[in-house]
Amino acid sequence: MELVVFSLLLGVALLSFLIVLTFYVVWSRIVGLDPTVAQRFVSLTKIKRFVMALLTGALLGTGVVVAPSVRVGVAGIVMLAASTFAALLLFELVQYRSAEKS
């Protein structure tokens, strides 16, 4: 039973962050900004991207394991994904404003 719950929560985590990253890039393009975080990630070497993906997966996996229930785990994942999306949007706004003032 634990494997099923772990798989479910990990799947929700992966899908939610994939959707967040897709929305981030699409939103940036719609408003006419360059998605600088995505561009910086793509410009990294393969080994650095691998290490970053491995660390992110380990953090998500650890978060899924310590979730006390499925509902709490899904709620936490969704809140984390929404917070990440908001942080990315704020970062892009600050980048745009600082470049505009320069």
Side-chain angles (χ1 to χ4, degrees), residues 72-100:
V72 172
V74 169
I77 290 167
V78 170
M79 290 298 294
L80 183 62
S83 300
T84 302
F85 183 66
L88 286 170
L89 297 184
L90 285 174
F91 176 79
E92 291 297 334
L93 179 64
V94 169
Q95 288 286 99
Y96 175 73
R97 294 285 173 121
S98 65
E100 191 177 77

Side-chain angles (χ1 to χ4, degrees), residues 27-46:
W27 174 85
S28 296
R29 295 298 183 182
I30 287 173
V31 297
L33 298 174
D34 289 330
T36 55
V37 174
Q39 290 173 349
R40 288 180 187 171
F41 183 76
V42 169
S43 68
L44 294 174
T45 62
K46 286 185 178 184

Side-chain angles (χ1 to χ4, degrees), residues 4-79:
V4 173
V5 171
F6 177 77
S7 300
L8 173 72
L9 289 176
L10 195 58
V12 168
L14 292 174
L15 284 175
S16 65
F17 280 95
L18 180 65
I19 290 170
V20 162
L21 293 176
T22 303
F23 283 166
Y24 156 68
V25 171
V26 169
W27 174 85
S28 296
R29 295 298 183 182
I30 287 173
V31 297
L33 298 174
D34 289 330
T36 55
V37 174
Q39 290 173 349
R40 288 180 187 171
F41 183 76
V42 169
S43 68
L44 294 174
T45 62
K46 286 185 178 184
I47 190 71
K48 287 181 182 178
R49 280 187 281 174
F50 174 76
V51 169
M52 188 174 276
L54 188 65
L55 288 174
T56 303
L59 287 173
L60 286 174
T62 302
V64 166
V65 168
V66 298
S69 71
V70 174
R71 287 182 181 175
V72 172
V74 169
I77 290 167
V78 170
M79 290 298 294

